[in-house]
């Protein structure tokens, strides 16, 4: 069983950094200083073992809490995968954001479309409207 919390004081920042910088294709090589800055400027979620308090998953949201949010850095520890924790974490994030009445919550994924689809995410209907600045 897991507890999901948006309390930043509960985050195991070194663990999150290790996960992302060594095992997440989108964040390989990210420095601890960059991770700490990202955490400081974001709404963060952790999933913790109910019995031990050990963190098993992480997600980060960049948002203005009024119109828009970007869900990113979603990571589930390898030993906790395949048990529905990713879906539970994304569901908790979605439900936490619901009271803000955001017009749009976006994310990007190379391989977890099924997890996000279970929580209501869909492919962009007109991706030709979207543009990006920076590395792809």
């Amino acid at each position: 069983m897991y507890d999901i919390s948006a309390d930043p004081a509960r985050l195991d920042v070194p663990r999150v950094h290790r996960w992302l910088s060594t095992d997440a294709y989108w964040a390989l090589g990210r420095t601890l200083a960059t991770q700490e800055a990202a955490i400081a400027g974001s709404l963060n979620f952790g999933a913790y073992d109910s019995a031990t308090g050990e963190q098993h998953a992480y997600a980060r949201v960049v948002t203005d809490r009024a119109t828009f949010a970007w869900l990113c850095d979603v990571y589930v520890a390898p030993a906790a995968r395949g048990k529905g924790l990713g879906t539970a974490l994304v569901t908790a994030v979605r439900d936490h954001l619901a009271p803000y009445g955001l017009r749009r919550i976006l994310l990007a994924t190379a391989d977890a479309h099924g997890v996000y689809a279970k929580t209501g995410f869909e492919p962009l209907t007109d991706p030709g409207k979207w543009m990006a600045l920076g590395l792809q």
Side-chain angles (χ1 to χ4, degrees):
M1 190 60 141
Y2 295 96
D3 298 321
I4 298 174
S5 172
D7 180 358
R10 292 188 70 184
L11 292 174
D12 184 339
V13 175
R15 178 180 295 219
V16 169
H17 173 252
R18 185 177 65 253
W19 285 339
L20 297 178
S21 68
T22 65
D23 192 41
Y25 66 85
W26 65 90
L28 294 175
R30 184 180 289 173
T31 67
L32 177 58
T34 297
Q35 187 62 53
E36 289 172 337
I39 287 170
S42 301
L43 179 58
N44 301 275
F45 295 82
Y48 306 89
D49 182 286
S50 297
T52 67
E54 180 181 3
Q55 187 171 350
H56 286 236
Y58 174 74
R60 184 168 69 87
V61 177
V62 180
T63 183
D64 60 10
R65 292 178 170 90
T67 63
F68 178 82
W70 177 263
L71 174 59
C72 54
D73 287 347
V74 178
Y75 186 91
V76 176
R81 292 179 187 164
K83 302 172 185 174
L85 181 55
T87 300
L89 177 61
V90 174
T91 298
V93 170
R94 180 200 65 199
D95 294 350
H96 185 95
L97 295 174
Y100 297 130
L102 303 173
R103 179 177 173 158
R104 186 167 287 118
I105 302 170
L106 292 179
L107 62 86
T109 184
D111 58 1
H113 296 79
V115 171
Y116 298 108
K118 289 177 189 176
T119 64
F121 283 88
E122 300 174 344
L124 294 173
T125 56
D126 190 358
K129 290 182 180 179
W130 296 88
M131 299 179 72
L133 176 64
L135 298 175
Q136 298 282 335

